[in-house]
Amino acid sequence: MGKQRIAGFFNDTAATWWSEIRESVTDAGTVLIFFVAVILYPMLYSVGYLRETIRGIPVAVVDLDQTVTSRRLSRLLDATEQVDVTCKPLNLKEAEDLFYRGEVHGVLLIPVSFEKKILKGEQTGTTIYCDAGRFFVYKQVYTAASYAAGMMNAGVEIRSMLAGGKSWNEALNRTAGISPQFFDLYNPSSGYATFIVPCILIIVIQQSLLVGIGLLSGKRNERKRPDNPGVNPRSPSRMAGILGKSMAYVSLYLLTTLVTLVLFYHWLSFPEKTNFTAIYPVLILFLFTVSFMGLAIGSWFTKRAHALMFVIFISPIVFFLSGVPWPTQSMPGVTRFLSLFFPSTPMLPAFLKLRLIGGGIAAIRPEILLLAVQCLGWFFVAWLTDVFVTFRRKPTPDGSAGN
């Protein structure tokens, strides 16, 4: 009897898996989400970041000193890769008009007596106006101005020491008393795409899978037809149905992730510190967790449109809770607790540690543990939800179910 139950369980799982595969590839909405959106959306999102960093930002230099030294500072600023000096207004008012018209995104003001104070050994300064409303533009303009000012300061200090009788090597050593070396370990280009796009890929996989499962569940509820008519909701077949459906979704997404996480990832030339096969065990656990979550939530959707509305509503929340726009360590305790319910929360650092950093399984042990707990928890919630929804339906003479 026990062998028959086990065999029946596996048969029910296999039958549900094949039925869900067939329905997923024949439903137009699911095909659009599972195959088209999950591949097309990351590509469209990443096109704008192909250059990784912002270069050649137009800036204006207001040179009120009009001396050899002030013009040298202007040339140093223009020589940086971050900005281009596109115009030199006569006064700050003209520069302000250019700024508000969007023709320049930063202004360097060189005051009167700039060279005179430097030659007298007095401290002088410049004023930088940056567009802080756009963080990356502000960062690049500020960085370029800092580079130019640093080079000017070093030159002035070295010339002062040479004039005081110091040798060139002595002056150079005193100027560069500390010579730091910087190594961009996991983002060699310091680019935005390498920082944000891998995280977006994981979130897109999660959200699109939730939408697809919600569409299928909403379609069944619109028909008011149970998934397995006549099956006792407490029998192992109910669990087999949940497991079979999740296996179908995981099977489909293992194919689409070959495009998004392998081909597309390689096409963008992101750092690859480990082979993708090392990520597959964690990816499979992640996909099962998302599938169970989708089945638990999707049972409540009475219409297909509800799936889209719900996932669109929670997508900005999921993005914020993922720790990408703001570190989870800096979030309030309640917010951090909410983030633990989403599979993307442990999957994101696990993916980055494996793919970008090149850490081994030991480096992602906490993330794997959290994913495993989430997987079991969402499976149990999906089973309870399925049981409750089945009991809630009232069978009708024609074999369908109503509310």
Side-chain angles (χ1 to χ4, degrees), residues 319-336 339:
F319 179 69
F320 177 76
L321 295 178
S322 66
V324 177
W326 189 255
T328 54
Q329 296 83 355
S330 302
M331 294 181 184
V334 176
T335 308
R336 293 178 64 183
S339 69

Side-chain angles (χ1 to χ4, degrees), residues 309-324:
M309 294 170 60
F310 177 78
V311 177
I312 289 174
F313 170 75
I314 69 170
S315 290
I317 300 175
V318 171
F319 179 69
F320 177 76
L321 295 178
S322 66
V324 177

Side-chain angles (χ1 to χ4, degrees), residues 160-379:
S160 177
M161 291 183 185
L162 292 176
K166 306 292 184 185
S167 66
W168 170 260
N169 290 334
E170 187 177 2
L172 187 62
N173 290 334
R174 287 197 178 187
T175 303
I178 299 178
S179 180
Q181 291 182 318
F182 298 96
F183 299 94
D184 297 323
L185 296 178
Y186 311 122
N187 190 351
S189 63
S190 298
Y192 186 67
T194 304
F195 160 70
I196 194 68
V197 173
C199 303
I200 293 298
L201 295 178
I202 299 299
I203 295 177
V204 167
I205 290 172
Q206 173 180 281
Q207 298 305 99
S208 62
L209 183 51
L210 291 177
V211 170
I213 296 173
L215 290 176
L216 293 174
S217 299
K219 182 174 71 173
R220 296 188 185 102
N221 291 333
E222 281 180 351
R223 296 173 180 175
K224 302 189 184 303
R225 174 174 58 85
D227 295 337
N228 299 294
V231 174
N232 184 348
R234 290 191 179 88
S235 72
S237 295
R238 182 60 55 177
M239 289 189 176
I242 296 174
L243 186 60
K245 290 178 184 178
S246 61
M247 288 176 62
Y249 306 140
V250 172
S251 301
L252 294 174
Y253 263 69
L254 286 179
L255 294 177
T256 55
T257 51
L258 285 175
V259 178
T260 55
L261 297 182
V262 179
L263 299 179
F264 180 68
Y265 192 93
H266 182 72
W267 175 61
L268 290 176
S269 300
F270 289 147
E272 301 180 59
K273 298 292 185 178
T274 187
N275 194 284
F276 185 74
T277 54
I279 303 174
Y280 253 93
V282 186
L283 180 63
I284 292 173
L285 179 60
F286 168 70
L287 292 175
F288 269 110
T289 307
V290 178
S291 299
F292 294 145
M293 180 182 181
L295 290 172
I297 298 173
S299 299
W300 300 100
F301 298 145
T302 57
K303 295 182 179 179
R304 291 167 62 91
H306 293 170
L308 289 171
M309 294 170 60
F310 177 78
V311 177
I312 289 174
F313 170 75
I314 69 170
S315 290
I317 300 175
V318 171
F319 179 69
F320 177 76
L321 295 178
S322 66
V324 177
W326 189 255
T328 54
Q329 296 83 355
S330 302
M331 294 181 184
V334 176
T335 308
R336 293 178 64 183
F337 176 75
L338 291 176
S339 69
L340 298 178
F341 290 92
F342 294 97
S344 56
T345 301
M347 182 59 190
L348 275 175
F351 180 78
L352 295 178
K353 287 178 182 179
L354 288 175
R355 198 73 165 139
L356 267 70
I357 300 178
I361 296 298
I364 61 170
R365 196 167 290 152
E367 288 80 10
I368 293 178
L369 179 61
L370 179 55
L371 263 177
V373 172
Q374 288 180 343
C375 188
L376 294 175
W378 279 116
F379 177 82

